[in-house]
Amino acid sequence: MRQVQIAEAKAELSGLLAAVEAGETVAIMRRGRVVARLVPEAQIMAAEAFRPLWQTAGEIDLVAPDDRPPEAATTL
C-alpha cells in the first residue's frame, strides 16, 4: 500500500487516481496517521445490480406503455 502526505496527494491527485484505477490502494497521511484511503471500486455485474428488482417483480410495473404518436413541442 502506497502512503502519501496530504500535500503530495493534493499535488498528484490525478496520478494517485490512475494508480487506484490500476488496482493499488493509497493511504493519505497527516502527521504520520492515516486519515483516508483511496481504494479501487469493486466491479459488479449488471445482473447483480438489478437482482433486487427482479426479486420484487410483482411490485414493479414491467409492462411497456402503449405506443402513441409523438406530441408537438410547444415553443417558448
Side-chain angles (χ1 to χ4, degrees):
M1 175 172 49
R2 186 168 164 187
Q3 296 180 347
V4 297
Q5 294 297 317
I6 290 176
E8 182 183 350
K10 283 175 55 176
E12 299 180 17
L13 182 60
S14 294
L16 293 175
L17 291 177
V20 171
E21 285 179 322
E24 188 176 345
T25 297
V26 178
I28 300 175
M29 314 280 289
R30 177 187 290 151
R31 297 186 195 108
R33 296 183 61 198
V34 175
V35 294
R37 279 188 174 64
L38 298 175
V39 295
E41 180 70 23
Q43 302 263 331
I44 63 170
M45 300 295 292
E48 291 302 317
F50 288 101
R51 188 170 312 283
L53 295 176
W54 295 333
Q55 292 173 345
T56 59
E59 300 173 18
I60 300 173
D61 180 11
L62 298 175
V63 178
D66 295 332
D67 286 331
R68 294 185 221 162
E71 298 176 10
T74 58
T75 57
L76 297 177

